[in-house]
Amino acid sequence: DKLGLVDRFDPGTAPGEVRVEAGARIEVDHGSKVMLFAPKVRNAGYISAPDGQVILAAGENVYLKTPSVLDPNAVRGLDVAVSAVPGWVFTGGQMQSALGLGTSYADFNYVAGLRDVVLPEMAARAKAVGYEVSNTGTVRADRGNVTLQAQDVRQDGVLMSTTALNNRNGSILLRAWGLGTHMYA
């Protein structure tokens, strides 16, 4: 085949959704995190993480990264990326090359296979599964971070984060990705 591999991973049926129903409350201690990951994440309740972080992210592969201390615009807490399940194994450098973000991987045939086979398969899986985060409830992270990330982000509720004078910046990040993959550059 184009990737030079015989065996591949069959992800099968997508897992179920995570749902916080209306009237439900998820509250954690100061500085803690609430992280909900699934192909579909729905919040109609109340989620609170003061001085912490709330992440609602939809996908089947989840990547968490500590932001660079050198980036003044970095998210307070963890940065997250989600994607469709690939049927193949590859490195970040190989994916960056396939996405045209660099030339860190020299095997042109493998990179072409990622670009021509894997990425379209991931996009088709994302379209079929429909990765979605939907918030119709309340998400609060005073002096912290709220992140909603999915192929489709539907924000019809309340997202709150505050900033304090003692350098405790709050932030809200909504990130929608369309091709079934998100790669850290």
Side-chain angles (χ1 to χ4, degrees):
D1 64 30
K2 193 160 194 160
L3 293 176
L5 303 172
V6 176
D7 296 327
R8 58 172 290 170
F9 169 69
D10 178 6
T13 304
E17 67 182 37
V18 171
R19 183 182 296 261
V20 179
E21 299 289 347
R25 297 179 73 85
I26 298 175
E27 299 177 79
V28 296
D29 291 336
H30 288 266
S32 297
K33 292 177 176 33
V34 174
M35 296 186 282
L36 304 179
F37 305 124
K40 294 186 187 324
V41 178
R42 303 185 192 290
N43 176 51
Y46 178 83
I47 302 173
S48 175
D51 294 308
Q53 185 174 27
V54 177
I55 299 174
L56 309 179
E60 292 178 89
N61 278 355
V62 178
Y63 312 91
L64 296 172
K65 175 181 160 188
T66 304
S68 169
V69 295
L70 302 176
D71 182 359
N73 298 317
V75 170
R76 188 164 165 255
L78 297 171
D79 196 4
V80 63
V82 289
S83 76
V85 177
W88 311 93
V89 177
F90 48 85
T91 68
Q94 292 164 334
M95 181 57 78
Q96 285 179 330
S97 294
L99 291 169
L101 299 174
T103 57
S104 61
Y105 190 74
D107 185 340
F108 176 78
N109 289 330
Y110 192 87
V111 170
L114 285 175
R115 182 191 64 234
D116 299 340
V117 177
V118 175
L119 290 178
E121 285 179 0
M122 291 174 72
R125 174 108 177 157
K127 183 177 179 182
V129 174
Y131 305 123
E132 178 184 42
V133 167
S134 174
N135 179 53
T136 57
T138 299
V139 179
R140 183 174 192 146
D142 294 334
R143 300 162 310 278
N145 169 264
V146 174
T147 297
L148 276 58
Q149 180 162 324
Q151 181 182 22
D152 292 312
V153 175
R154 301 190 187 279
Q155 167 44 29
D156 294 317
V158 176
L159 302 176
M160 295 187 298
S161 184
T162 61
T163 298
L165 295 176
N166 62 353
N167 200 23
R168 302 293 284 179
N169 295 332
S171 62
I172 296 172
L173 175 64
L174 295 116
R175 187 184 293 147
W177 47 273
L179 294 177
T181 186
H182 174 79
M183 177 67 194
Y184 289 118

